[in-house]
Amino acid sequence: MAEVEEKEEDSEEEPKLKYERLANGVTEILQKDAASCMTVHDKFLALGTHFGKVFLLDIQGNVTQKFDISPVKINQISLDESGEHVGICSEDGKVQVFGLYTREGFHENFDCPIKVVALHPRFSSSNCKQFVTGGNKLLLYERNWLNRWKTSTLHEGEGTITNVQWRANLIAWANNVGVKIYDISTKQRITNVLRDNVSLRPDMYPCSLCWKDNTTLIVGWGSSIKICAVKERDHAEMRDLPSRYVEIVSAFETEFFISGLAPLADQLVTLYFVKETSDHMEEEFRARPRLDIIQPLAEGCEEISSDALTVRNFQENECRDYRLEHSEGESLFYIISPKDIVVAKERDQDDHIDWLLDKKKYEEALMAAEISFKNIKRHEVQKIGMAYINHLVEKGDYDSAARKCQKVLGKNMELWENEVYRFKTIGQLKAISQYLPRGDLRLRPAIYEMILHEFLKTDYEGFAMLIREWPGELYNNMTVIQAVTDHLKKDPANGTLLTTLAELYTYDQRYDRALEIYLRLRHKDVYQLIHKHNLFSAIEDKIVLLMDFDKEKAVDMLLDNEDKISMDRVVEELRDRPELLHIYLHKLFKRDHHKGQKHHERQIGLYAEYDRPNLLPFLRDSIHCPLEKALEICQERYFVEETVFLLSRMGNCRRALQMIMEELEDVDKAIEFAKEQDDAELWEDLISYSIDKPPFITGLLNNIGTHVDPILLIHRIKEGMEIPNLRDSLVKILQDYNLQILLREGCKKILVADSLSLLQKNHRTQMRGVRVDEENICESCHASILPSDMAQNFSVVVFHCRHMFHKECLPSPGTIPGVQFCNICSAKRRGPGSGILEMKK
């Protein structure tokens, strides 16, 4: 087939159909003859000509069989569903029905032209040997049981029959008046659809009929289209009416004259004969025929697509010269004209992609290709993608072009390398660098090195980023190290290059070199490098450098890895940097109060020098600190609070209290100290010191009420001394006293109530009976508490503690006349062995 190049003018809207010219044998036939009709089957095509020939063709247009039927025009060819039988009629009145693979057949010559013939769709079945012919009347032929053909007239008297379409049990035909439908199962005619446009000659503008399904007939006549639905009539309405009726569900006018109709799902494919008026002349001329897809609506229609077709000799054709046939199985539409046959088919995904490429919509084309990848070869997707990349490069959108390489080039390393060199040629290696393969599939190391060298020339930051992002296995590490070293000769202090060189040394497992650079740069990754590669032996002589860089991180690392770098080694390294040594020992002490005990004496001076706020907590928490040394240091530096703590800890509480009162002059602190020690002598010293100091007296009056009798203080206050807020202090003393009284009374009530409750509980317990049976034993002789002969007199003593004795086994009464105690429980109260001794008495 040859493509029909000339279509509707170029548009941004994608066409729905594509067109090809039926060529091969058809081309040769139409050079000498002209097509008059054609019928389409899923397996083959049947073409009739003006010179009375019938050709069977394959779908490519190649001739498979030829029949010489008549010297004049073939009007109609009909095929049954199986494609095994064919019916042919011609302008000279000949009708032939025969099997393509059998010898059976029907031949008849009529005395008038026969315009149409239609076989029963299931003509191959023995009980469906029926066909109709149409000339001046519509005749039905049926083969009877004697193998003879019986003829019956279905309709006549309304002019020439111009079209017949048989579907299932329904025969539709058109004559000069309108369209009729005959139900062959009930032998009833069920409708008469009158034609519109009665001014048009029916021979020049013939009726077009097609069945959408077994009950839907589409009628096109002139510029009018009607969709007719065959429906079952309700039994109550039948009477003498046919069992079926026709309802016109849609009717609308079109812009041009209809030459053919075909269904496409719920839409219609319409072939139009077009007449147009010239801009320069008023006369009409025949334009190219149009093939439209329309959507029928309840009141009108919507145009979905419209294509103007360039068929051969279209300027000479009339409306009656065009026909539209279709193949239901493959949605193929054949436009037949005397000198040309064009095939229209629905566009597939390949056509959609080609259209997108033609419109330079590469992104959409690539997406469509990937969606239908299972139906498209990988190289075809790459071909589309490469066209897109080329387009982006031509536009100068290098980043987008490089990004698309990932999706398009995939695992094709040869294509990748070609693209890299192309980007190098146009000076855009940087654009493609971040999209290069870096996983299991890789390019040659030279490709990556070429890009790294490009960055190293112009962009140190970009170079560093690639080194961080690319695995070290992509390129020759030593080659890149040498290149970086050469650049550092020109700029030895460049931090970016130094950092990158350290990373390269790390990839190359030369960790000592990397560590030196990181420490020199004070780089934050130095600690990560040490931990990751266990470089603790390499930093034993670099502890000061590490701490100068980040004290907190360095100390945490040293303490976390004490098994690798000992505490003694760290202390030795920091001996000349006491401020750093203090930080290390302080954190060590926070983690474990005992680990660095041998350095506690040294720490006293370090805290005093660099961290006094933490000195007192250290003195409180350390049990290994020499108190005399600590006291000496604190007194030298006049650290009063620390000295007070040390004096109290060493037992010199009176001196400590004296320092609080004399040095700190803080009565609250002095009172608090006295409360902690809870020593009467300290309270006496505090009162004696405060007795001539009114502010101190006020503080004492407000705070000592619960520890010392306030009367002792009040009696010693000198006559006439002015004491600030004395009234408030006395009120507080009285309130405290009242509170104590209330608390005591409350406690007394609670005690009495609890005692009474416990007494009642004890009394109830003691009043309960105690079960005595043969399982109980005497706690003295360990024999059964009950005698074997219950008739004998016996006495048993049972105490509230549930211990039982034979009366004769009880020891002598105690010192209180008439009162007997359980010997076992009494022994427990007196002490070990007492009960045994008592039993022996």
Side-chain angles (χ1 to χ4, degrees), residues 41 78-85 118-125 128-131 165-171 184 211 214:
H41 190 273
S78 177
L79 297 168
D80 67 347
E81 290 177 350
S82 67
E84 296 178 1
H85 293 82
L119 302 185
H120 191 295
R122 297 190 303 278
F123 188 87
S124 297
S125 301
C128 296
K129 296 297 184 182
Q130 298 171 311
F131 66 91
Q165 295 294 326
W166 194 330
R167 180 74 173 241
N169 291 324
L170 299 176
I171 304 171
I184 198 167
W211 288 98
N214 287 352

Side-chain angles (χ1 to χ4, degrees), residues 80 88 121 136 227 294 334 339 344 359 363 470 526 538 565 607 620 669 693 736 827:
D80 67 347
I88 305 169
N136 294 329
I227 300 177
I294 60 175
Y334 294 83
K339 287 297 182 179
K359 297 296 181 183
E363 181 75 25
W470 285 0
V526 66
I565 301 180
Y607 275 112
R620 285 197 181 108
K669 198 171 191 70
K693 300 177 180 62
D736 289 346

Side-chain angles (χ1 to χ4, degrees), residues 417-629:
E417 293 197 4
N418 291 340
E419 283 304 300
V420 172
Y421 283 115
R422 176 163 76 152
F423 274 73
K424 175 181 172 58
T425 303
I426 60 178
Q428 292 295 330
L429 274 179
K430 290 184 179 181
I432 202 172
S433 62
Q434 57 184 314
Y435 304 110
L436 293 182
R438 60 184 77 170
D440 295 336
L441 293 170
R442 300 170 182 174
L443 306 176
R444 291 181 296 110
I447 300 294
Y448 300 99
E449 291 166 17
M450 178 176 68
I451 292 174
L452 288 173
H453 282 294
E454 180 69 21
F455 272 90
L456 198 53
K457 287 186 216 173
T458 58
D459 183 2
Y460 288 164
E461 293 294 336
F463 173 78
M465 183 184 70
L466 288 184
I467 293 298
R468 282 192 294 272
E469 292 180 353
W470 285 0
E473 301 83 13
L474 292 179
Y475 47 84
N476 187 317
N477 210 43
M478 288 307 301
T479 302
V480 179
I481 287 175
Q482 185 59 50
V484 175
T485 304
D486 292 341
H487 278 264
L488 279 171
K489 291 177 182 178
K490 306 170 188 175
D491 189 3
N494 189 288
T496 301
L497 286 181
L498 285 170
T499 303
T500 308
L501 183 59
E503 292 172 359
L504 290 167
Y505 279 135
T506 302
Y507 295 149
D508 207 31
Q509 298 184 1
R510 296 161 70 178
Y511 303 120
D512 53 339
R513 293 281 190 92
L515 184 60
E516 287 178 8
I517 295 174
Y518 279 136
L519 287 173
R520 174 182 166 190
L521 295 174
R522 304 168 72 89
H523 196 278
K524 61 182 178 61
D525 289 345
V526 66
Y527 299 102
Q528 181 183 351
L529 181 71
I530 294 168
H531 277 291
K532 186 175 181 180
H533 302 291
N534 196 22
L535 303 179
F536 296 98
S537 59
I539 64 167
E540 286 187 345
D541 58 346
K542 298 178 178 64
I543 293 173
V544 174
L545 287 175
L546 286 168
M547 290 195 67
D548 280 340
F549 172 34
D550 190 325
K551 300 177 180 61
E552 295 297 324
K553 277 191 176 180
V555 171
D556 287 339
M557 182 188 69
L558 293 169
L559 293 177
D560 290 341
N561 297 276
E562 211 176 329
D563 56 327
K564 301 180 180 73
I565 301 180
S566 67
M567 175 186 65
D568 293 338
R569 176 64 177 173
V570 176
V571 172
E572 176 65 22
E573 284 294 313
L574 299 176
R575 66 183 182 278
D576 297 328
R577 295 290 298 276
E579 74 281 6
L580 301 179
L581 178 60
H582 163 68
I583 294 171
Y584 174 78
L585 292 175
H586 172 64
K587 280 212 167 187
L588 176 63
F589 180 74
K590 285 292 184 184
R591 291 196 180 192
D592 190 329
H593 291 351
H594 307 288
K595 243 179 195 178
Q597 57 181 291
K598 63 182 178 181
H599 302 293
H600 283 196
E601 180 176 351
R602 187 174 185 181
Q603 278 186 270
I604 300 168
L606 294 174
Y607 275 112
E609 182 69 25
Y610 301 106
D611 191 10
R612 185 190 168 183
N614 281 313
L615 174 57
L616 186 57
F618 172 74
L619 296 174
R620 285 197 181 108
D621 295 338
S622 173
I623 60 174
H624 307 290
C625 174
L627 299 180
E628 294 82 359
K629 178 67 174 177

Side-chain angles (χ1 to χ4, degrees), residues 49 52-53 69-77 87-96 108-110 112-117 134:
T49 72
K53 308 291 191 296
I69 302 298
S70 169
V72 295
K73 183 175 76 168
I74 302 296
N75 285 329
Q76 181 73 49
I77 302 172
I88 305 169
C89 65
S90 58
E91 190 67 20
D92 59 359
K94 286 185 179 179
V95 175
Q96 294 189 25
E108 185 71 53
N109 289 324
F110 291 87
C112 66
I114 301 298
K115 299 294 185 181
V116 291
V117 62

